Each structure stands twice: as structure tokens, then as C-alpha cells.
């Protein structure tokens, strides 16, 4: 969905620790003069959360980048273990099995933080973003397999199990209590943005500040590398809006830290009876957002950009504007299914051609 238009210098795929020494060898050779030489662009990939994460860093010592990147990848894996809806042993799936619970249950710091953010954005978006959407998501998955639309009674039943008011979080005690039976927490609309931010923080803590983390379209940006004018990205939601510039996408240059996230149905939708429904669902009705649609959000933090992009996919334009207003510094591009220029909400930074 999004790509850099600067060619990478180095590509390696350290998916497992067993590959560490291989990376070290490559970086060792580079590192001989790299330590004191100019900034090197180092690019690494890691498969997680159903996508490929890319870590792009500019640093004099590629070996140091490799070591930091392994820690960042471990962090991404820990977040996946906390949040995955696909893994029945994930922390969130285990937590949901305690519902309805008479007592608070201990939860990891990441899960507490991501749930707290999800609830905040749910409130600010008047429920357009809803982390308790799990029962509806499962219903649609079942219907997709059966090649049919959900029935009104099925939609109603799934929606009855939803509601953030049945999640009680005690941040100081590090606990979560789920009051409602059948609650299904789905963090698919926020977890990747949270993970790219967390991975960026790991890199920065290791002294690798010029880093970009791309989690398949959810991108966290560190301090841009000096002398390059900023991070150069091409926003290109596949199959929608892409005809708006001569090269097919929209080029942006971000000259500051921040995050961008794109939500759309380009690769994930259901087509039933000739109509296209997104994997993003409207909690108010239970229906999939009609496609094709795509929105890109820029915000201060990855989790916020990710969740706002999901929420804005559901909202009308005026509602989207007031949601963006409640997150200072956030803005959005609404892509035009007909291929015209995107509609800009707020001050989207760094646009070079639209
Ligand atoms: P992608 O995962 O394709 O990047 P999103 O970030 O928009 O796209 O996340 C979509 C996922 O979020 C869905 O697959 C589902 O798990 C979940 N979801 C769907 N609708 C909503 C909603 N209204 N609020 C919160 N989460 C949602
Ligand atoms: Mg999202």
C-alpha cells in the first residue's frame, strides 16, 4: 500500500534468531568502514501479525542497527502474542475466556496500554471504532466462508455482545475485568500501529534514531535522516485513488517524527451477491463498510493513526473532521474511488503533488 521511492541499500530478513549471525556477517563487512563512514541505509524485514514489518534505519554502524532490530522484532512478537485474534493462546483470547469475570485479572503492560487507547478512541469516535467488535468480525468471517450475507437476527445477536462499558481497566493495579459474557475483543484495527510505535521506541532506546517502521501500511517515523529533507513515502492505496499523480501514487515528505496509517478494503473485502463489503464493519449497523474505500491518517502516534483510519472508514466526513479535531496534529486523506485527488481533512503534512 505504501512504498519508499528511495532504493534500499541493504535487505536482509532476520525472521529468526538463527539468522542473526548471517546478518552480522553482512553488517560486519559493511561495518569495517561503516562505523566512521557516512550514514548507511539498513533495511530489515520481519513477518508478524499477518504482514511483513520493515525496519529502515540510517546509521553509521549497520551491525548496531541489526542488533537493535532484533530487539524491536522481539517486541513486535510479544505484542502479537498479547493481541492476536487468530492465536487461541494469545493473552487477549485467554482474557476473553474469563468473561464474565467476578474479579479483575492481571494483564501485561502492553495489553493494558493498547486497550486503554482503544477505549479512548472508541469514546472519541462515538463508537465508530469499537474494540469489542469481535463477535461481528467472526460472524462476517463465517458468512464469507458460506458465501452469504449475515441475517438481521445474527447481526443483532452479535451486536448485543458488544460494548466497551463491560471492560474495566485498573491501570495502577495492572488488571482488566470483563463483565459481559460472550465479549470478543478484536484489536485488529489498532495493534499494528501500536506495534510499529513500540518497535520504533526500542530502536530509539538503542540509539538508532533515524528509523522508520512499516507494518504493512501502518508506519511509524522517527527523526528523519539528516540531509535528505525528510522521510519520502508514496501513499498508494491499491486499486483506489492511485491515478491521482503521474506516477500512480501520492508522494509525501515527512520532515518530523510521527505516524501514518492506511485503512481500506483493497486487499480485504467480501463480495456477496455482486456487492463489495469491507473487513471494516460499522458497529452501529453491523454491516461492512461499502467499498471500495481507503483513508490515510497522519497522527503523532502509530496506534492513534491506525485506529483513527479504521474509525474514519466508518464515519461521515463531518464526523471524521470532528474526530480529527480531538487528536491535535492529526489529519487525513480520503481517497476517491473514482481515482480523483484525495480529499484532505486537516493539515496533512508534506504533500508534494496533489
Ligand atoms: P488493516 O488491518 O487492513 O490494516 P484496519 O487497521 O482498518 O485495517 O483494521 C481492520 C481490522 O479491525 C478488521 O480486520 C477487524 O479485525 C477490526 N475492525 C473492523 N471494524 C472495526 C471497527 N469498526 N472498530 C474497530 N475495529 C474494527
Ligand atoms: Mg486501523
Amino acid at each position: 500500500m505504501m512504498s519508499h521511492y528511495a532504493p534500499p541499500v541493504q535487505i536482509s530478513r532476520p525472521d529468526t534468531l538463527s539468522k542473526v549471525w548471517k546478518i552480522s556477517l553482512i553488517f560486519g563487512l559493511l561495518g569495517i568502514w561503516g562505523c566512521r563512514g557516512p550514514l548507511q541505509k539498513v533495511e530489515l524485514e520481519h513477518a508478524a501479525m499477518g504482514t511483513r514489518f520493515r525496519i529502515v534505519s540510517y546509521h553509521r554502524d549497520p551491525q548496531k542497527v541489526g542488533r537493535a532490530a532484533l530487539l524491536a522484532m522481539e517486541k513486535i512478537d510479544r505484542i502479537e502474542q498479547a493481541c492476536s485474534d487468530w492465536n487461541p493462546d494469545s493473552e487477549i483470547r485467554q482474557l476473553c475466556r474469563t468473561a464474565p469475570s467476578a474479579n479483575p485479572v492481571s494483564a501485561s503492560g502492553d495489553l493494558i496500554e493498547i486497550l486503554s487507547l482503544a477505549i479512548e478512541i472508541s469514546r472519541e469516535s462515538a463508537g465508530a471504532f469499537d474494540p469489542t467488535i469481535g463477535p461481528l468480525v467472526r460472524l462476517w468471517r463465517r458468512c464469507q466462508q458460506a458465501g452469504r450475507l449475515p441475517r438481521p437476527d445474527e447481526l443483532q445477536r452479535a451486536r448485543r455482545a458488544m460494548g466497551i462499558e463491560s471492560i474495566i481497566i485498573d491501570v495502577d493495579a495492572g488488571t482488566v475485568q470483563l463483565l459481559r459474557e460472550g465479549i470478543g475483543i478484536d484489536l485488529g484495527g489498532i495493534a499494528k500501529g501500536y506495534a510499529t510505535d513500540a518497535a520504533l521506541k526500542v530502536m530509539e532506546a538503542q540509539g538508532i534514531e533515524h528509523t522508520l517502521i512499516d507494518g504493512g501500511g501502518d508506519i511509524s517515523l522517527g527523526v528523519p535522516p539528516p540531509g535528505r529533507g525528510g522521510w519520502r513515502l508514496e501513499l498508494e492505496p491499491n486499486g483506489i485513488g492511485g491515478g491521482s499523480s503521474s506516477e500512480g501514487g501520492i508522494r509525501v515528505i515527512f520532515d518530523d517524527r510521527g505516524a501514518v496509517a492506511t485503512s481500506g478494503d483493497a486487499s480485504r473485502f467480501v463480495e456477496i451477491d455482486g456487492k463489495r463489503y469491507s473487513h471494516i464493519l460499522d458497529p452501529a449497523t453491523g454491516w461492512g463498510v461499502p467499498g471500495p474505500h481507503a483513508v490515510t491518517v497522519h497522527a503523532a502516534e502509530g496506534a492513534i493513526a491506525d485506529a483513527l483510519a479504521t474509525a474514519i472508514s466508518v464515519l461521515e466526513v463531518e464526523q471524521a473532521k470532528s474526530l480529527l479535531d480531538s487528536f491535535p496534529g492529526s489529519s487525513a486523506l480520503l481517497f476517491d474511488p473514482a481515482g480523483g485527488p484525495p480529499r484532505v481533512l486537516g493539515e496533512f503534512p508534506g504533500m508534494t503533488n496533489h
Side-chain angles (χ1 to χ4, degrees):
M1 227 174 234
M2 295 192 188
S3 61
H4 303 272
Y5 53 89
V9 168
Q10 186 73 42
I11 300 181
S12 294
R13 300 184 175 210
D15 288 343
T16 62
L17 284 173
S18 64
K19 292 188 184 155
V20 174
W21 76 269
K22 217 177 183 176
I23 309 165
S24 303
L25 186 71
I26 299 165
F27 291 163
L29 294 173
L30 275 173
I32 290 169
W33 68 271
C35 283
R36 258 170 252 146
L39 292 183
Q40 300 276 313
K41 181 179 182 183
V42 182
E43 187 166 340
L44 300 131
E45 289 193 7
H46 179 58
M49 297 182 151
T51 188
R52 291 202 79 82
F53 280 77
R54 291 194 308 144
I55 300 178
V56 182
S57 292
Y58 290 80
H59 198 269
R60 289 194 165 74
D61 182 354
Q63 247 182 325
K64 190 172 169 184
V65 174
R67 285 192 299 270
L70 284 168
L71 296 176
M73 291 168 189
E74 282 169 15
K75 179 69 180 172
I76 292 167
D77 290 345
R78 281 202 297 280
I79 293 169
E80 180 173 21
Q81 176 58 31
C83 298
S84 172
D85 185 45
W86 298 95
N87 174 6
D89 298 324
S90 70
E91 189 183 357
I92 192 69
R93 291 277 299 268
Q94 291 188 40
L95 182 68
C96 286
R97 285 198 289 274
T98 66
S101 172
N103 301 305
V105 177
S106 289
S108 67
D110 281 323
L111 194 58
I112 301 258
E113 198 176 333
I114 197 168
L115 269 176
S116 305
L117 272 169
I119 288 170
E120 181 192 342
I121 293 166
S122 189
R123 290 211 175 98
E124 295 289 348
S125 67
F129 181 87
D130 190 335
T132 66
I133 200 141
L136 262 184
V137 171
R138 297 219 176 106
L139 170 63
W140 276 88
R141 277 189 206 143
R142 283 199 304 278
C143 288
Q144 181 178 16
Q145 275 161 10
R148 67 173 179 88
L149 289 173
R151 293 191 311 268
D153 62 305
E154 291 175 313
L155 289 172
Q156 213 176 33
R157 201 174 326 125
R159 289 184 53 236
R160 268 205 295 269
M162 290 168 54
I164 53 168
E165 65 287 347
S166 60
I167 307 174
I168 311 293
I169 300 177
D170 185 333
V171 176
D172 295 332
T175 59
V176 181
Q177 185 176 1
L178 302 179
L179 303 179
R180 184 169 297 157
E181 190 170 359
I183 190 170
I185 298 177
D186 183 324
L187 299 169
I190 190 170
K192 272 188 284 169
Y194 181 85
T196 55
D197 258 10
L200 177 60
K201 283 180 199 149
V202 170
M203 296 299 285
E204 289 174 338
Q206 296 296 311
I208 319 288
E209 61 170 352
H210 306 306
T211 294
L212 171 158
I213 316 267
D214 178 357
D218 292 324
I219 303 177
S220 292
L221 308 158
V223 177
R228 305 182 67 89
W231 295 109
R232 293 157 181 271
L233 306 183
E234 189 164 321
L235 309 178
E236 191 179 13
N238 299 327
I240 184 170
S244 54
S245 81
S246 54
E247 263 109 346
I250 293 175
R251 290 180 170 192
V252 286
I253 302 178
F254 295 112
D255 62 5
D256 206 352
R257 296 180 87 264
V260 264
T262 297
S263 275
D265 65 346
S267 53
R268 292 179 65 196
F269 61 88
V270 197
E271 203 167 293
I272 302 171
D273 297 338
K275 251 185 111 175
R276 178 164 161 166
Y277 303 91
S278 174
H279 69 306
I280 296 169
L281 308 173
D282 182 349
T285 63
W287 284 90
V289 170
H293 71 95
V295 52
T296 295
V297 170
H298 178 268
E301 286 176 40
I304 292 174
D306 189 3
L308 290 186
T310 308
I312 289 174
S313 301
V314 173
L315 293 171
E316 301 295 334
V317 174
E318 288 310 312
Q319 299 169 309
K321 279 189 197 161
S322 57
L323 176 59
L324 289 166
D325 283 345
S326 47
F327 290 89
S330 64
S331 54
L333 302 179
L334 307 183
F335 286 90
D336 176 2
R343 180 154 181 187
V344 186
L345 305 186
E347 302 214 347
F348 201 91
M351 292 185 65
T352 58
N353 60 335
H354 73 289

